[in-house]
């Protein structure tokens, strides 16, 4: 079938070239049936690559998902490509584990891929990400305040476990070029109806932001690829330099704070990220800044996601895990240490991986960036004294409809679509008169802002990531 196509389109890179493996090594392609993966399958087959396809029916879109599965079966049969299919009720699985739909779908997808690769001895996984996907990822990461690593976009190659590698051969092709390729070769493909749902942040970027960018620069996707390539080179160098320095300042007790504080921030932040990750945390930028601050001061502690705490004592920065946090041990739900912090304008990361609260005029923007979020506007004239944030306590009550009602009962009656862990992690926003608001519930009597109120306060709550 080498005469299947004349030659691969410009912008395509051989999966074997990307992986650095011989041309006769088999590959596994994640096949959705959309234009991207259909075009890529056509190119791989026409190039003589020994390919196996894998399709996942997520059971999210009902009959439409079944039609996609049937289409993939028909196409692979026609091309004589082996096809593995997994049917999994992802919504049910997500509800069971407490994950988000996208998170659960990705976990299931890669678990399936890894199983096939192990059984069939396939070392290369091929995915059909394209240049527009990379641009969307870059913009999405920037909108969330990403680090340099997030600015690198989608990598053309990455490791998957110990012996496998993931490659993106058509990352250099735009969606327009892929559609043109399909049309020119008479390739049918399916279209996911959820791609037009602008409730998803990526779809809003795709339909509203990207067209404006292309008016400024028709090659915006190509420019993003070049930008990401350059940034990836810089990040790789800095990460390597940080790893060398990390080895130099690491003792059996932890990191030496004096040399750590004397390093350029580009290195010290990477060292702390790597060390925290080894301890079981996934710190964000504000966590890294806080750790650098206590390292410079020579004392203090900082709570990190995942129930991990960074401590600085006697010139050493070390990490400990509090296994009593609700996210780690359901049996110890009532033993979470009490905590309380003063609210500040802007971002307020919460202890024990309990999420993040945003206070201020721009808090409403968080709803457009984070799917797992809730938002409220309060009347500041009805708030007494300073605002504090704390975790839930036995006997908590809220003034609702003229009566002090049990917070525990209010949460039960609200039937919030949260896991037990997320429910236990909900923060409590208070003033001198008691509880003002708990995310997911109505605020205290009189606290909600009304149209025309001159002084208001916006608050957004971002749920913690479930491990």
């Amino acid at each position: 079938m080498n005469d299947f196509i004349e030659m691969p389109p410009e912008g395509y890179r051989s999966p074997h070239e990307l992986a650095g493996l011989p041309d006769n090594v088999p590959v596994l392609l994640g096949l959705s049936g959309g234009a991207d993966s259909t075009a890529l399958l056509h190119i791989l087959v026409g190039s003589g690559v020994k390919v196996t396809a894998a399709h996942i029916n997520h059971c999210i879109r009902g009959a439409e998902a079944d039609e996609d599965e049937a289409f993939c079966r028909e196409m692979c049969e026609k091309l004589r490509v082996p096809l593995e299919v997994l049917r999994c009720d992802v919504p049910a699985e997500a509800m069971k584990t407490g994950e988000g739909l996208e998170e659960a779908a990705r976990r299931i997808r890669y678990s399936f891929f890894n199983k096939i690769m192990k059984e069939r001895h396939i070392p290369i996984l091929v995915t059909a990400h394209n240049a527009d996907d990379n641009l969307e990822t870059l913009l999405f990461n920037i909108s969330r305040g990403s680090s340099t690593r997030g600015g690198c976009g989608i990598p053309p190659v990455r490791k998957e476990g110990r012996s496998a590698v993931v490659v993106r051969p058509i990352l250099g092709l735009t969606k327009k070029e892929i559609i043109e390729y399909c049309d020119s070769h008479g390739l049918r493909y399916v279209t996911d109806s959820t791609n037009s749902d602008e409730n998803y942040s990526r779809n809003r970027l795709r339909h509203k932001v990207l067209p404006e960018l292309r008016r400024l620069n028709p090659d915006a996707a190509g420019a993003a690829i070049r930008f990401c390539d350059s940034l990836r080179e810089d990040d790789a160098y800095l990460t390597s330099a940080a790893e060398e320095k990390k080895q130099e300042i690491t003792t059996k007790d932890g990191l030496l704070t004096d040399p750590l504080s004397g390093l350029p921030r580009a290195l010290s932040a990477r060292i702390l990220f790597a060390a925290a990750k080894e301890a079981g945390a996934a710190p964000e930028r504000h966590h890294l800044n806080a750790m650098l601050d206590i390292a410079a001061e020579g004392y203090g502690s900082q709570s990190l996601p995942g129930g991990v705490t960074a401590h600085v004592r006697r010139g050493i920065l070390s990490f400990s895990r509090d296994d009593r946090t609700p996210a780690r041990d359901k049996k110890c739900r009532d033993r979470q240490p009490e905590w309380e912090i003063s609210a500040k304008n802007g971002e307020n990361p919460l202890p024990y991986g309990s999420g993040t609260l945003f206070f201020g005029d721009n808090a409403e923007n968080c709803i457009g960036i984070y799917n797992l979020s809730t938002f409220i506007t309060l009347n500041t004239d009805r708030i007494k004294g300073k605002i504090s944030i704390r975790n839930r306590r036995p006997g908590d009550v809220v003034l609702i409809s003229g009566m002090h009602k049990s917070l525990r009962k209010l949460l039960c009656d609200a039937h919030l679509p949260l896991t037990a862990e997320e429910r236990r992690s909900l923060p409590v926003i208070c003033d001198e008169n008691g509880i003002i608001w708990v995310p997911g519930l109505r605020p205290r009597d009189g606290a909600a802002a009304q149209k025309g109120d001159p002084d208001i306060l916006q608050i957004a709550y971002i749920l913690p990531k479930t491990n």
Side-chain angles (χ1 to χ4, degrees):
M1 301 189 68
N2 287 332
D3 59 348
F4 196 75
I5 58 175
E6 299 81 8
M7 61 181 297
E10 186 177 352
Y12 165 81
R13 294 181 65 187
S14 160
H16 300 96
E17 175 193 341
L18 289 168
L21 292 172
D23 290 346
N24 61 350
V25 169
V27 307
L28 177 70
L29 168 66
L31 181 67
S32 68
D36 306 325
S37 60
T38 296
L40 182 51
L41 177 62
H42 189 264
I43 295 170
L44 292 173
V45 171
S47 300
V49 175
K50 185 178 179 181
V51 57
T52 297
H55 176 79
I56 298 92
N57 184 333
H58 297 94
C59 300
I60 295 177
R61 294 176 289 119
E64 184 179 324
D66 294 338
E67 291 170 3
D68 292 355
E69 177 187 331
F71 173 82
C72 290
R73 289 185 184 276
E74 179 184 346
M75 177 167 55
C76 287
E77 183 178 353
K78 180 180 179 181
L79 296 176
R80 298 179 184 176
V81 170
L83 174 67
E84 298 273 1
V85 175
L86 173 69
R87 293 177 64 88
C88 181
D89 189 341
V90 173
E93 180 68 15
M95 186 173 294
K96 177 182 174 182
T97 62
E99 298 169 288
L101 269 181
E102 291 184 12
E103 184 180 4
R106 188 183 190 281
R107 174 179 59 79
I108 291 166
R109 184 163 60 248
Y110 277 90
S111 176
F112 181 50
F113 292 158
N114 289 332
K115 177 175 177 290
I116 298 170
M117 294 170 78
K118 185 176 181 180
E119 291 175 350
R120 291 178 172 258
H121 304 288
I122 299 175
I124 304 176
L125 173 62
V126 180
T127 68
H129 292 93
N130 61 49
D132 288 40
D133 295 328
N134 179 73
L135 177 56
E136 290 169 15
T137 297
L138 174 62
L139 293 175
F140 185 73
N141 289 344
I142 290 173
S143 71
R144 297 181 65 183
S146 172
S147 65
T148 305
R149 183 163 300 177
C152 293
I154 299 175
V157 185
R158 72 169 176 82
K159 292 257 187 195
E160 177 68 20
R162 292 184 178 181
S163 58
V165 62
V166 182
V167 299
R168 280 87 184 215
I170 57 173
L171 196 60
L173 294 171
T174 65
K175 188 73 171 186
K176 181 174 181 288
E177 290 170 329
I178 291 168
I179 296 295
E180 288 174 350
Y181 177 89
C182 289
D183 291 345
S184 66
H185 290 85
L187 299 179
R188 294 190 304 115
Y189 52 86
V190 298
T191 302
D192 187 338
S193 63
T194 62
N195 287 342
S196 61
D197 185 352
E198 293 188 3
N199 286 319
Y200 294 96
S201 300
R202 279 186 176 274
N203 289 347
R204 288 201 295 279
L205 282 171
R206 183 176 303 140
H207 298 301
K208 294 182 179 297
V209 179
L210 264 58
E212 292 300 321
L213 277 179
R214 292 193 183 98
R215 288 189 179 93
L216 294 172
N217 178 10
D219 188 33
I225 289 287
R226 296 189 292 274
F227 170 81
C228 291
D229 285 345
S230 297
L231 199 59
R232 198 175 297 114
E233 292 172 357
D234 294 347
D235 184 65
Y237 172 78
L238 289 169
T239 299
S240 176
E243 183 57 34
E244 290 183 12
K245 287 294 182 183
K246 179 173 175 287
Q247 299 301 324
E248 294 176 10
I249 67 173
T250 298
T251 71
K252 62 182 179 63
D253 298 315
L255 300 172
L256 297 170
T257 56
D258 283 347
L260 176 69
S261 299
L263 291 172
R265 208 172 184 86
L267 297 183
S268 58
R270 283 173 168 80
I271 290 171
L272 285 176
F273 181 86
K277 189 175 180 180
E278 290 171 4
E284 297 182 10
R285 185 68 188 182
H286 56 267
H287 298 117
L288 297 176
N289 290 339
M291 284 191 284
L292 289 170
D293 288 343
I294 62 175
E297 292 171 5
Y299 68 93
S301 62
Q302 171 64 35
S303 296
L304 304 176
V308 175
T309 302
H311 308 273
V312 172
R313 299 188 186 93
R314 299 177 182 176
I316 297 290
L317 188 150
S318 59
F319 299 90
S320 65
R321 183 190 299 283
D322 189 337
D323 290 323
R324 299 177 300 168
T325 60
R328 293 289 175 184
D329 188 348
K330 293 181 181 180
K331 295 181 180 178
C332 299
R333 67 184 64 182
D334 296 325
R335 297 191 325 197
Q336 182 185 11
E338 292 186 357
W339 58 265
E340 185 166 1
I341 61 175
S342 297
K344 64 180 181 180
N345 194 50
E347 190 173 16
N348 294 261
L350 306 179
Y352 300 102
S354 300
T356 304
L357 279 164
F358 290 83
F359 286 74
D361 295 340
N362 296 320
E364 188 174 10
N365 295 337
C366 297
I367 303 303
I369 300 174
Y370 303 91
N371 288 328
L372 298 176
S373 57
T374 185
F375 171 80
I376 197 168
T377 303
L378 301 177
N379 182 344
T380 54
D381 288 341
R382 306 301 296 270
I383 297 173
K384 184 176 180 181
K386 294 183 178 180
I387 299 177
S388 63
I389 311 163
R390 62 171 173 81
N391 55 348
R392 291 168 54 188
R393 312 280 167 78
D396 274 341
V397 294
V398 189
L399 182 61
I400 300 290
S401 300
M403 299 176 58
H404 283 93
K405 298 186 178 181
S406 163
L407 175 56
R408 181 177 180 181
K409 187 174 188 306
L410 286 170
L411 288 170
C412 288
D413 293 344
H415 300 296
L416 299 177
L418 302 176
T419 66
E421 294 172 4
E422 290 170 337
R423 191 184 297 264
R424 288 194 298 274
S425 297
L426 286 173
V428 178
I429 294 89
C430 305
D431 65 0
E432 293 179 6
N433 286 336
I435 297 176
I436 306 172
W437 178 59
V438 175
L441 301 180
R442 57 183 287 190
R444 182 179 70 200
D445 283 358
Q450 305 297 321
K451 187 175 181 179
D453 284 346
D455 298 311
I456 62 173
L457 171 64
Q458 295 181 354
I459 307 176
Y461 173 57
I462 313 304
L463 275 68
K465 295 178 180 178
T466 305
N467 293 325

